[in-house]
Amino acid sequence: MACAMIPLDEQQVTEATGPLGKERTLPALHPDRKEERCFVTYKPPPEDSSPAQVEEYLEHGKFITEDLDWLLALRHDKFWCQVVFDESLQKCLDSYLRHSPRGLDPSSLPSSPAVADMQRCIHRAVFMTFLRMATHKESKESFITPTVFGEIIYNNFLFDIPKILDLCVLFGKGNAQLLHKMIENIFTQQPCYYGDLDEAVLSVLQVLDTILAKCGLQCEGATAIEPLKLSSSGRPTAMTMSQQDLVDLVLYLCDTCTTIQAFLDIFPAACSTFHCHSFLNRLASFYEVAVPDIEKAVRKRNFDDDSLQEDLWRRVCHARRRMVEMAHLLLQHTCLQPILEGSENIQTFVEELLQHFTTFLPEKRFLLDYDEQFPIADDISLLQQAFPLLDETRTSYLLQGVEDAWDSIGRRRTQDRPQQTHSSAGLSGQEVEVGAGAWGGEMGIREPGEGGETPRGAESMWDTPHKGDNGAACTISAGELESLLTHIRDLLPDLGEGFLLACLHQYNYSSELVINYILEDRLHPDLDKLDRAMPRPVKEELPPVLSTRSNVFDDDEFDVFNRDQVDMTRVWKGRRKGESVRDLLNDKQHIAEQKERYLTYDTVVDEVIVTPSESGAIDNLNDYDDEYDDTYDINQVGANDLDGDSNLLNRRPFTIPQVLRQGGRPQMQEENIEEEEDEKEDAVKRDQFVQDPALLRERAEARRATMQHRKGYRPEPARERDVVGKPKGQGQSTETLLDRRKKEAHKSRGANHNRRAMSDRKRNKGMIPS
């Protein structure tokens, strides 16, 4: 029997062996204590739903679940003997980590409910087994010395870096907290895993270089596998490689990015190891160089199966998002989080974060995708709040660089929406309900409903974008719209044009976003309500222009729209055939036409002679004329007026006849002279717009002299003022003293001696701002 309160690695167990039941003492962890049981390996669910394959899978899965349930029911010492020394158990667990379907695999959607239930049972049993294997202390009586526990799991390869990465991918959805504690306990009890992680980062960088080499590319900082040849005509590219190689390449890239992102999200402490190898800069360069080339190959190449092309495009988009999330996780846990926590050397972390953002500026494709998912302006705003001494010039340069990158592609960010800083990293893993068993103390296992973690995947980081507050949406021409529809329908031919038009309008006419959200089934709620086969709305036909036009030439002899026949002899192009300039000038037909028109105005009829045969005309002459004015027919105008002599004289002045005048000419001369004088007087009184200034000065001087004469003022004789006087010491005359006094009293009238007074005057009137 095992001793109480002794770690499992120090316990001794006495057991009866052999046919005679001889007792022997063995260590608690010994190969002979292992039970003979064969654990079968895992096989993925069948892709088709044939009854034979479904039955085989269900039977196979039943064996696995029964064996794992038996294993979990063993005592602590027996469990660890089976785990450490049973190779078939490790093969079974490894097969599940290797072959279990991920989120984007077709087999992740079981064909029948029975298959789904069996897959869920196997998934839970495997997770519970790994969880117990990562727990070194289940209770006060059942535990292993931490150092020995680290040696056991490390030397027996119970856990390694690839297994830990697969655990994060498969079980991260809904179990992030348990996985974090499990992996943290593994790395805490065995620090050697950090060294293995360091080598794994180098392997991941080698993976990126291998993908670039397969595409015939090379990014900055990458270690070339082989020297680049001067002539790259025979070098394979994404467009020239075989279809199977392209499929393998996309699957490889998608799986790598998904795995690394899930691991960094579950275990953020690993970010520092990735950061030490400049993983972030290499990732941005790889994204900028490889992603456009692979996307182009997936879009433009002809595939044997359209569903294969659709699946590859979905995986490429998925890998893009995971790479962006990787970059954000590295920045958050190595730079942003220490700054927000107020750790020491905050200036170093701020400088490092700004340097990373500056490095992103040349990588425009990566910069735009990162800024759309995690706005750089939000991070800079947090920096300004946590570190007030931030250089505004540098931050303005970064923000302007981001805006220039958006302007360079001719579109704007759909929306600056808040992002979550943490996300569960699983893609296909089901949430595992863990009960509080006898061995759940140290790992903090909780029952369902006791504050358990809400199951959510990494996809929760990507909310459906929508238009911003300003409601601005780009406008495109009809040709560009048809091109976008054709591009989308080439990949998704089962969707109606009306539905695609609504999607394009929602996502600012970005075909990439529309394809991405349709394939991942993450459309806006308003779009989910629409019928995906909805046709394009029929435009109302406008009335024809000819029926609504209005023109001054309507219904003329050349109106071909309203006439069926037109005299074509009157229509010609250029100079009319058969006509010369001389014939044209000699043609006087228009003059004859004008003469006939004006002859009608020359005929004046004073008397109309009516013949007896025209009796009707006589009746017309006797008809009443309504337009005749008979107001004054009875009144005798002017007959009763009394016209006197005075009135006649007033109408016309009396004039002496020329015969009775004496010396008739002198009177005419006098009248002319009087008229000339009147004209002169009128000329003087005439208002002149501009008069002679000299004349005006003379008149003013005359008026001034007249006024002074009336007042009895006599002006002083004109003389020159003498303010200089005699030399100093000889005395000054009275005239000199008076002149000096007058100059002193009146000097402000001229020159520039009244500057202060005039300045005050201008300021008081508001001419100079005070």
Side-chain angles (χ1 to χ4, degrees), residues 522-584:
R522 293 189 294 105
L523 289 172
H524 194 271
D526 294 339
L527 298 176
D528 286 334
K529 300 177 183 178
L530 300 177
D531 182 13
R532 298 207 171 193
M534 180 176 62
R536 177 183 291 192
V538 180
K539 294 183 179 180
E540 297 182 0
E541 294 185 1
L542 298 176
V545 180
L546 298 180
S547 62
T548 58
R549 74 186 186 103
S550 179
N551 196 286
V552 295
F553 301 105
D554 287 345
D555 300 324
D556 63 359
E557 57 179 331
F558 299 108
D559 189 0
V560 295
F561 301 108
N562 296 325
R563 288 176 177 269
D564 296 334
Q565 295 181 357
V566 179
D567 186 7
M568 299 302 297
T569 59
R570 302 195 57 191
V571 179
W572 63 87
K573 182 178 180 181
R575 179 180 295 181
R576 191 172 184 178
K577 296 181 179 179
E579 283 190 358
S580 63
V581 178
R582 185 178 301 277
D583 296 337
L584 182 62

Side-chain angles (χ1 to χ4, degrees), residues 4 17 45 67 109 113 140 195 213 267 301 370 399 438 446 453 561 585 611 633 679:
T17 60
D67 291 342
L109 300 175
K140 294 182 179 180
F267 189 57
R301 289 188 57 160
Y370 182 90
L399 295 177
R446 294 183 301 223
E453 197 173 348
F561 301 108
L585 294 177
T611 60
D633 286 352
E679 291 178 357

Side-chain angles (χ1 to χ4, degrees), residues 26 73 112 234 301 340 386 392 411 476 554 619 658 689-690 750:
L26 298 173
S112 65
R301 289 188 57 160
L340 299 178
E392 294 184 1
R411 66 184 177 97
I476 60 175
D554 287 345
D619 295 336
Q658 188 174 2
F689 182 75
V690 178

